[in-house]
Amino acid sequence: MIRDRKPLKQWSKGRATLVGDAAHPTSPYAGYGAGMATEDGYFIGRRLARVDLSDYAAVRQALDAFEAPRKPHTARQSQHAYALGQVFHHAPRALQPIRDAILDRTPLMQKVVGDSTPISILTQLGEIDRAEARFTALLRLGETHDTAS
């Protein structure tokens, strides 16, 4: 049996954080859980790059910066998967033929899923571009410090 949970308000406490399904469990109906976990790994890695892990405040700041842009995206994807599960598996028996006809013979799923997906993808690509720019700047800063020593 699949259990659904509302998105967590906070993923991190102290110097520890949750990622993937621990932070934002996703019903399998959108097929996106593993992808979001992979994205989490990428973004947390970029946020923690060059952070002194013994500096509590710096780690907290990095974890907060990791969570902030991820929460709206993962919540939207998880809620979308939940809604699809409801439509696919919990429609009253009398309405199932109507549901199937609509899903099979109209562009509804394309409108609901397909039209919103490019916006979500572009938003995440923008986040990746910002993370890469920050990471590259940190690397350059590190090279400057290394050559100055």
Side-chain angles (χ1 to χ4, degrees), residues 130-142:
R130 284 186 287 283
E132 283 301 309
R134 180 181 174 277
F135 183 69
T136 301
L138 286 172
L139 289 178
R140 282 192 204 117
L141 181 64

Side-chain angles (χ1 to χ4, degrees), residues 14 20-22 25 36 42 49 53 58 81 83 86 93 102 105 111 124 147:
D21 281 345
M36 288 192 299
Y42 170 82
L53 298 180
Q86 295 299 305
R93 184 175 296 279
I102 290 170
R105 295 186 176 84
K111 287 292 180 194
Q124 288 305 294
T147 57

Side-chain angles (χ1 to χ4, degrees), residues 67-84:
E67 277 185 42
R70 298 290 301 147
K71 284 192 275 189
H73 172 69
T74 58
R76 189 173 40 258
Q77 297 300 327
S78 294
Q79 291 303 310
H80 181 247
Y82 172 80
L84 287 176

Side-chain angles (χ1 to χ4, degrees), residues 6-148:
K6 295 234 186 257
L8 295 174
K9 293 187 188 315
Q10 186 172 358
W11 299 350
S12 304
K13 185 173 182 177
R15 294 167 27 95
T17 193
L18 299 172
V19 297
D21 281 345
H24 42 79
T26 306
S27 301
Y29 306 109
Y32 199 55
M36 288 192 299
T38 302
E39 290 172 355
D40 285 349
Y42 170 82
F43 285 113
I44 198 168
R46 290 305 195 227
R47 284 296 178 182
L48 290 172
R50 301 256 179 184
V51 170
D52 177 358
L53 298 180
S54 66
D55 181 346
Y56 180 85
V59 171
R60 282 296 322 138
Q61 183 179 14
L63 293 178
D64 290 341
F66 155 68
E67 277 185 42
R70 298 290 301 147
K71 284 192 275 189
H73 172 69
T74 58
R76 189 173 40 258
Q77 297 300 327
S78 294
Q79 291 303 310
H80 181 247
Y82 172 80
L84 287 176
Q86 295 299 305
V87 168
F88 294 158
H89 298 290
H90 298 287
R93 184 175 296 279
L95 295 179
Q96 289 174 4
I98 296 167
R99 172 206 60 201
D100 294 344
I102 290 170
L103 294 178
D104 290 345
R105 295 186 176 84
T106 71
L108 177 67
M109 286 302 286
Q110 177 61 35
K111 287 292 180 194
V112 171
V113 178
D115 290 353
S116 67
T117 299
I119 294 166
S120 181
I121 290 170
L122 290 174
T123 301
Q124 288 305 294
L125 289 173
E127 288 296 326
I128 289 170
D129 289 344
R130 284 186 287 283
E132 283 301 309
R134 180 181 174 277
F135 183 69
T136 301
L138 286 172
L139 289 178
R140 282 192 204 117
L141 181 64
E143 290 170 0
T144 303
H145 287 286
D146 291 341
T147 57

